[in-house]
Amino acid sequence: MLRRLLLVLTLLAAPALAQDRADVERQFQAWLDETIWPAASAEGVSRETFDAAFAGVTLDWSLPGLVVPGAPPSEEPQVQRQTEFGSPGNYFRRGSVEGTAAIGRQMAQRHADALARAEARYGVPGHIVLAIWGRESGFGRVDIPHNAFRVLGTLGFMSPRGDYLSRELVAALQIAEAGHVPADAMKSSWAGALGQPQFMPFNFLAFAADGDGDGRADIWDSEADTIASIANFLAEKGWVAGRDWGFEVTVPPSVSCTLEGPDQGRTIAEWAEMGIARISGRPFPDHELAGEGFLLMPAGRHGPAFIVTPNFYVLKAYNVSDLYALFIGNVGDRIAWNMGDFAAPWGPVGGLYRSDVAAMQRALEAMGHDVGGADGLPGFKTRRSIGRWQEETGAAATCFPEEGMKAVLRE
């Protein structure tokens, strides 16, 4: 009986839902004409390009996180359990890392000339470019199926980040106006990232490069342009030619994990004098010793440790996750030198909800610690704040949120 009643209520609600969506679709078309068209026109976009971009475009209701204009925000708790909130080791699944590196070695041979040109021009090693290309789009093999104007239009109109994504939508129109790719061929991810390097439109305008000399920057169909564009992005973000991204190391108990972070740099020679050594047993390269290095312990004392260079933080300009940058560094090393997994194992940490970490962060903030914001993300400020709190209580610092801390670190 209850199931029949629910079915009747659903059928009665369906016409109203369809009507509501039709109303929102009309609002969307009005928003395109009244808001996006004036902004695009001011940037030199022609009406012809604008109309071609939005011909037949409707809202994509399948995209996540949409908010109907005028509707109150959801009050449901946003409990998340993404990889970065579990064990960091989950990010380095053997199949993903080894598979990307294996194909990357093939691509290194196939595109040797384009990679050499890019390295000579931008100073970025080919194996780093390949690692990013592989991570972002599987070297162009991953399907990028979405109409960029439908995605960015929907997100600009119905996303909490609407202002930012509306500007990206106008930038996409500028790309079409410049003739880099026809409007109906501009494909993106569900988040609006374009082509094989997965550039957002503003990044395309700033960093897309012509790698094959045809006068266009085509990151959809040209491997040479994709390679040049990734290299140009990293160079413009500050890649230091001749330096590595980092080294896996051993950190003796005498060196506190609270020394982690890009704001606590020392020369690599100074780190070595403190007893930090490469896990391989080889000395740090002579040309790196005078350069600045930073301690990175993404799982605290429960996993591999690294001394990273400023280039590591350039990789983070592509994606802000420490684990992403480590993935790129590791895959690049595998492509260039056939290196394997990190030597130190990832410990049995993780399993915490983002809300658990946020509660710990608020408790640490109340004690005066700078955790970088109570966002539920165990970044370096949160990790070292946990370590400092542990040391203040007389415990050995482990610098990572753990299940047993929930009962102690409470708001």
Coordinates of all heavy atoms in Angstrom, one line a residue, residues 265-300:
G265 N 61.8 26.3 5.0 CA 62.9 25.8 4.2 C 64.3 26.0 4.8 O 64.5 26.9 5.5
R266 N 65.1 25.1 4.4 CA 66.6 25.2 4.7 C 67.3 24.7 3.4 O 66.7 24.1 2.6 CB 66.9 24.2 5.9 CG 66.2 24.5 7.1 CD 66.4 23.3 8.1 NE 65.5 23.5 9.3 CZ 65.9 23.8 10.5 NH1 67.2 24.0 10.7 NH2 65.1 23.9 11.5
T267 N 68.6 24.9 3.4 CA 69.3 24.4 2.3 C 69.4 22.9 2.5 O 69.3 22.3 3.6 CB 70.8 24.9 2.2 OG1 71.5 24.4 3.4 CG2 70.8 26.4 2.1
I268 N 69.5 22.2 1.3 CA 69.5 20.7 1.4 C 70.7 20.3 2.2 O 70.7 19.2 2.9 CB 69.5 20.1 0.0 CG1 68.0 20.3 -0.6 CG2 69.8 18.6 0.0 CD1 67.8 19.7 -1.9
A269 N 71.8 21.0 2.1 CA 73.0 20.7 2.9 C 72.7 20.8 4.4 O 73.2 19.9 5.2 CB 74.1 21.7 2.6
E270 N 71.9 21.7 4.8 CA 71.5 21.8 6.3 C 70.6 20.7 6.7 O 70.8 20.1 7.8 CB 70.8 23.2 6.5 CG 71.7 24.4 6.4 CD 70.9 25.7 6.5 OE1 69.9 25.9 5.8 OE2 71.3 26.5 7.3
W271 N 69.7 20.3 5.8 CA 68.9 19.1 6.2 C 69.8 17.9 6.3 O 69.6 17.0 7.3 CB 67.9 18.8 5.1 CG 66.7 19.8 5.0 CD1 66.4 20.6 4.0 CD2 65.7 20.0 6.0 NE1 65.3 21.4 4.3 CE2 64.8 21.0 5.5 CE3 65.4 19.5 7.3 CZ2 63.7 21.4 6.2 CZ3 64.3 19.9 8.0 CH2 63.5 20.9 7.5
A272 N 70.8 17.7 5.5 CA 71.7 16.6 5.5 C 72.5 16.6 6.8 O 72.7 15.6 7.5 CB 72.6 16.6 4.3
E273 N 72.9 17.8 7.3 CA 73.7 17.9 8.5 C 72.8 17.5 9.7 O 73.4 17.1 10.7 CB 74.2 19.4 8.7 CG 75.3 19.8 7.7 CD 75.6 21.2 7.7 OE1 75.0 22.0 8.5 OE2 76.4 21.7 6.9
M274 N 71.5 17.7 9.6 CA 70.6 17.3 10.7 C 70.4 15.8 10.8 O 69.7 15.3 11.7 CB 69.3 18.0 10.5 CG 69.4 19.5 10.7 SD 67.8 20.4 10.2 CE 66.7 19.8 11.5
G275 N 70.9 15.0 9.8 CA 70.8 13.6 9.8 C 69.8 13.1 8.8 O 69.6 11.8 8.7
I276 N 69.2 13.9 8.0 CA 68.2 13.5 7.0 C 69.1 13.0 5.8 O 70.0 13.7 5.3 CB 67.3 14.6 6.6 CG1 66.3 14.8 7.7 CG2 66.5 14.2 5.3 CD1 65.3 15.9 7.4
A277 N 68.7 11.8 5.3 CA 69.5 11.2 4.2 C 68.6 10.6 3.2 O 67.4 10.2 3.5 CB 70.4 10.1 4.8
R278 N 69.1 10.5 2.0 CA 68.3 9.8 0.9 C 68.1 8.4 1.3 O 69.0 7.7 1.7 CB 69.0 10.0 -0.4 CG 69.0 11.4 -1.0 CD 69.7 11.5 -2.3 NE 69.0 10.8 -3.4 CZ 69.4 10.7 -4.6 NH1 70.6 11.2 -4.9 NH2 68.7 10.1 -5.5
I279 N 66.9 7.9 1.0 CA 66.6 6.5 1.4 C 67.3 5.5 0.5 O 67.6 4.4 0.9 CB 65.0 6.3 1.3 CG1 64.6 5.2 2.3 CG2 64.6 6.0 -0.1 CD1 63.2 5.2 2.7
S280 N 67.8 6.0 -0.6 CA 68.6 5.1 -1.5 C 70.0 4.9 -1.0 O 70.7 4.0 -1.4 CB 68.6 5.7 -2.9 OG 69.4 7.0 -2.8
G281 N 70.4 5.7 0.0 CA 71.8 5.6 0.4 C 72.8 6.5 -0.3 O 73.9 6.7 0.1
R282 N 72.3 7.0 -1.5 CA 73.2 7.9 -2.3 C 73.2 9.3 -1.7 O 72.2 9.7 -1.1 CB 72.7 7.9 -3.8 CG 72.8 6.6 -4.5 CD 72.6 6.8 -6.0 NE 71.3 7.2 -6.3 CZ 70.2 6.4 -6.4 NH1 70.3 5.1 -6.3 NH2 69.0 6.9 -6.7
P283 N 74.3 10.0 -1.8 CA 74.3 11.4 -1.3 C 73.4 12.3 -2.2 O 73.0 12.0 -3.3 CB 75.7 11.8 -1.4 CG 76.3 11.0 -2.5 CD 75.6 9.7 -2.4
F284 N 72.9 13.4 -1.6 CA 72.2 14.4 -2.4 C 73.2 14.9 -3.5 O 74.4 15.1 -3.2 CB 71.8 15.6 -1.5 CG 70.7 15.2 -0.5 CD1 71.0 15.1 0.8 CD2 69.4 15.0 -1.0 CE1 70.0 14.7 1.7 CE2 68.4 14.7 -0.1 CZ 68.7 14.6 1.3
P285 N 72.7 15.2 -4.7 CA 73.5 15.7 -5.7 C 74.2 17.0 -5.3 O 73.6 17.8 -4.7 CB 72.6 15.9 -6.9 CG 71.4 15.0 -6.6 CD 71.3 15.0 -5.1
D286 N 75.5 17.1 -5.7 CA 76.2 18.3 -5.3 C 75.5 19.6 -5.7 O 75.6 20.6 -5.0 CB 77.6 18.2 -6.0 CG 78.5 17.2 -5.3 OD1 78.2 16.7 -4.2 OD2 79.5 16.8 -6.0
H287 N 74.9 19.6 -6.9 CA 74.3 20.8 -7.4 C 73.0 21.2 -6.7 O 72.5 22.3 -6.8 CB 74.0 20.8 -8.9 CG 72.9 19.8 -9.3 ND1 73.1 18.5 -9.5 CD2 71.6 20.1 -9.5 CE1 71.9 17.9 -9.8 NE2 71.0 18.9 -9.8
E288 N 72.5 20.3 -5.8 CA 71.3 20.6 -5.1 C 71.6 21.1 -3.7 O 70.8 21.6 -3.0 CB 70.5 19.3 -5.0 CG 69.8 18.8 -6.3 CD 68.6 19.5 -6.6 OE1 68.3 20.6 -6.0 OE2 67.9 19.1 -7.6
L289 N 72.8 20.9 -3.2 CA 73.1 21.1 -1.8 C 72.9 22.5 -1.3 O 72.4 22.8 -0.2 CB 74.6 20.7 -1.5 CG 74.9 19.2 -1.5 CD1 76.4 18.9 -1.4 CD2 74.0 18.4 -0.5
A290 N 73.2 23.5 -2.2 CA 73.1 24.9 -1.8 C 71.6 25.4 -2.0 O 71.3 26.5 -1.6 CB 74.0 25.8 -2.6
G291 N 70.8 24.6 -2.7 CA 69.4 25.0 -3.0 C 68.5 24.7 -1.8 O 68.8 23.9 -0.9
E292 N 67.4 25.5 -1.8 CA 66.5 25.3 -0.7 C 65.7 24.0 -0.9 O 65.3 23.6 -2.0 CB 65.5 26.5 -0.7 CG 64.7 26.6 0.6 CD 63.9 27.9 0.7 OE1 63.6 28.5 -0.3 OE2 63.6 28.3 1.8
G293 N 65.4 23.4 0.3 CA 64.6 22.2 0.3 C 63.6 22.3 1.5 O 63.8 23.1 2.4
F294 N 62.6 21.5 1.4 CA 61.5 21.5 2.4 C 61.1 20.1 2.8 O 61.1 19.2 2.0 CB 60.3 22.2 1.8 CG 60.6 23.5 1.1 CD1 60.9 23.5 -0.3 CD2 60.6 24.7 1.8 CE1 61.2 24.7 -0.9 CE2 60.9 25.9 1.1 CZ 61.2 25.9 -0.2
L295 N 60.9 19.9 4.1 CA 60.5 18.6 4.6 C 59.0 18.4 4.3 O 58.1 19.3 4.5 CB 60.7 18.6 6.1 CG 60.3 17.3 6.8 CD1 61.1 16.1 6.3 CD2 60.5 17.4 8.3
L296 N 58.7 17.2 3.7 CA 57.3 16.9 3.4 C 57.1 15.5 4.0 O 57.8 14.5 3.6 CB 57.1 16.8 1.9 CG 55.7 16.3 1.4 CD1 54.7 17.4 1.6 CD2 55.8 16.0 -0.1
M297 N 56.0 15.4 4.8 CA 55.7 14.1 5.4 C 54.2 13.9 5.3 O 53.4 14.2 6.2 CB 56.1 14.0 6.9 CG 57.6 14.2 7.0 SD 58.3 14.2 8.7 CE 58.2 12.4 9.0
P298 N 53.7 13.5 4.1 CA 52.2 13.5 3.9 C 51.4 12.6 4.7 O 50.2 12.8 4.8 CB 52.1 13.1 2.4 CG 53.4 12.4 2.1 CD 54.4 13.0 3.0
A299 N 52.0 11.6 5.4 CA 51.3 10.8 6.4 C 52.0 10.9 7.7 O 51.8 10.0 8.6 CB 51.3 9.3 5.9
G300 N 52.7 12.0 8.0 CA 53.4 12.2 9.2 C 54.4 11.1 9.4 O 55.1 10.7 8.4

